[in-house]
Amino acid sequence: MLRAPAAVYYGQGARASIGTAAASLGRRALVVVDPFLAKTPEFREALSGLDGAGVAVQIFSGVVPELPTDSVTAAAESARGFAPDVVVAYGGGSALDLGKLIALLLSCDGPLSDYYGENRVPHPVLPIVAVPTTAGTGSEATPVAVVSDPDRELKVGVSDPALIPRVAIVDPDLTIGAPPSVTAYSGIDAIVHCAESYTAGKRRPDWETRLPVFVGRNRMSSLLALEGLAAMGDALPLAVADGSNVEARGRMAWGSLLGGMAFGSGGTHLSHALQYPIGALTHTPHGMGTGMMLPYVLQACIETTTDRLAQIAGALGVATDRSERDDAQAAIDRLDEIGIAIGLPRTLAEIGLTRQQIPRVAELAAGVTRLVALADHEVTPAFLERILDAAFVGDRSRLTDTSTNG
Ligand code: NAD
């Protein structure tokens, strides 16, 4: 299955198409942009492209990190009087998600909380042109937007195919200025999108009913995920070490786009379910948490996903000439090495989680049923606690005793 933008423009210089892409969808563009990026020459170039294409523009540059719900509602209200007919979202995942949510709130009545969860958006929303400057969340291609609701303990998502941008314009040059920490955390998250959609369980669709947003691993998501991993495996450490490495930036932007399309139908699973409570308790970035958890989650699931992990070893260029099981282990080891190379913290203790919090984290993560249901392994709070215990001290060997993996 494939859910994707109607048009994807990828390549150096692709940003020059922002004006014509927006003009093909409307005459009045609300441009949502990160406050830092709003001052860059590349953004000014995008505005002149819109002007040249005859599109009237209103700019909203008040993106608040983590997107608290009241900031999203206020942003939509401030745009209502302008009556845009297209939204251009320009920036990292936060700006892109805000653009999606403004498009939603300007198209559908009711508070944002009406749309939390999956498949809750009743009709199409304003068309969105998404221009990512990080690589990345893949938000330019996904049916997801994530917000922080002060009434909820964990971040919440609005997931609906209606949120998929109509046009994704992915110009790797726009990511050149992203600082090393943003490059590292958003980049490892893109790798996690690919690795988790590739190792997600396969579910038999009920073709006669409305399909869930995330259907589990499928042929199309697998194709995209493996290609994304092949592109990003070596590139991420290079892009973090030297942000001006154009080739590494290009491979990251490409892989992150593919990761978004892969998880946009295939879904993600336990690294994401665990990050939600870990992020909430430790106030650490999303990608830091998902990246830290990935090797532990894959290690815990190695018996049920050996074949796919072995394929991942091939994509990462670390296949052995020994057994499939050895290849699977080599893939996990390589993903862990990538985390080390980009400076991910090595233990959950290091990011401020306490041992006493582990049972609560496991319980909260087990409650993220949309994600837990996609793991290709039986999941209980005890299983999640074992993963957390190993990650707490940074010792994956605690998960290699398969007799305790159930
Ligand atoms: P971000 O958008 O929060 O940006 C982080 C920082 O990087 C900001 O200060 C921004 O100004 C800066 N930045 C971005 N691009 C830059 C550039 N080219 N040069 C210099 N600085 C730049 O970071 P992100 O990692 O892209 O997005 C994180 C958000 O995305 C989180 O809220 C997360 O929940 C969400 N997310 C969404 C999806 C989805 O499918 N919608 C998937 C994963 C994560």
Side-chain angles (χ1 to χ4, degrees):
M1 173 198 272
L2 180 64
R3 288 204 182 96
V8 174
Y9 305 148
Y10 169 86
Q12 281 185 293
R15 64 187 183 278
S17 63
I18 295 172
T20 49
S24 72
L25 296 168
R27 309 310 302 166
R28 297 173 68 77
L30 176 73
V31 180
V32 179
V33 60
D34 183 287
F36 170 79
L37 295 159
K39 301 187 195 87
T40 57
E42 292 80 7
F43 179 69
R44 281 197 294 277
E45 205 185 285
L47 287 183
S48 57
L50 286 162
D51 187 46
V55 178
V57 161
Q58 177 168 296
I59 299 173
F60 180 85
S61 63
V63 181
V64 180
E66 307 294 320
L67 298 189
T69 39
D70 56 350
S71 76
V72 176
T73 310
E77 283 320 306
S78 75
R80 204 174 285 282
F82 176 66
D85 50 14
V86 56
V87 173
V88 176
Y90 182 105
S94 302
L96 301 194
D97 282 9
L98 180 60
K100 290 172 167 182
L101 294 170
I102 294 176
L104 166 65
L105 290 177
L106 292 181
S107 311
C108 303
D109 295 329
L112 196 53
S113 54
D114 282 359
Y115 308 105
Y116 292 168
E118 285 195 33
N119 276 338
R120 306 281 301 273
V121 180
H123 52 74
V125 306
L126 286 179
I128 302 158
V129 176
V131 188
T133 63
T134 60
T137 65
S139 181
E140 67 274 14
T142 73
V144 186
V146 185
V147 291
S148 307
D149 184 330
D151 295 335
R152 307 280 180 121
E153 202 170 352
L154 305 182
K155 278 174 113 179
V156 274
V158 177
S159 300
D160 194 292
L163 293 192
I164 297 174
R166 200 72 69 83
V167 183
I169 298 175
V170 184
D171 183 337
D173 284 354
L174 293 179
T175 67
I176 296 277
S181 63
V182 172
T183 305
Y185 301 142
S186 58
I188 194 73
D189 196 34
I191 286 182
V192 180
H193 292 158
C194 291
E196 289 212 321
S197 59
Y198 198 67
T199 53
K202 214 171 192 168
R203 304 285 173 255
R204 177 182 286 274
D206 177 357
W207 297 112
E208 288 177 23
T209 62
R210 184 170 182 186
L211 292 175
V213 179
F214 305 104
V215 299
R217 178 167 49 92
N218 59 81
R219 288 183 77 160
M220 195 67 86
S221 64
S222 299
L223 201 69
L224 296 162
L226 219 48
E227 171 70 16
L229 286 165
M232 293 187 286
D234 290 340
L236 179 56
L238 295 173
V240 172
D242 175 10
S244 65
N245 182 329
V246 174
E247 199 207 323
R249 290 291 196 184
R251 285 168 57 187
M252 286 307 301
W254 173 241
S256 135
L257 167 69
L258 299 186
M261 286 198 274
F263 98 81
S265 72
T268 56
H269 56 90
L270 298 182
S271 304
H272 277 75
L274 289 160
Q275 189 281 328
Y276 276 93
I278 292 169
L281 289 166
T282 60
H283 306 287
T284 46
H286 174 79
M288 178 192 282
T290 57
M292 285 176 72
M293 292 316 299
L294 183 70
Y296 296 91
V297 165
L298 297 181
Q299 194 69 59
C301 296
I302 191 170
E303 300 304 332
T304 47
T305 58
T306 313
D307 54 341
R308 273 146 290 143
L309 289 171
Q311 296 289 325
I312 289 178
L316 295 174
V318 292
T320 69
D321 51 7
R322 301 188 299 273
S323 65
E324 194 178 58
R325 182 65 160 69
D326 283 348
D327 283 358
Q329 191 58 56
I332 301 172
D333 292 348
R334 175 65 188 142
L335 290 166
D336 203 7
E337 267 170 35
I338 293 170
I340 294 171
I342 65 167
L344 283 185
R346 302 308 301 148
T347 68
L348 291 178
E350 216 177 294
I351 62 169
L353 201 76
T354 65
R355 197 177 275 285
Q356 292 71 26
Q357 288 171 320
I358 287 179
R360 179 71 182 140
V361 171
E363 188 189 331
L364 285 168
V368 191
T369 48
R370 158 179 87 76
L371 294 171
V372 165
L374 287 177
D376 206 357
H377 198 287
E378 195 196 331
V379 178
T380 60
F383 178 65
L384 295 175
E385 269 192 53
R386 220 160 23 245
I387 295 174
L388 288 162
D389 275 331
F392 185 76
V393 291
D395 181 5
R396 267 189 297 128
S397 74
R398 292 183 176 213
L399 296 161
T400 50
D401 175 3
T402 54
S403 63
T404 58
N405 257 357

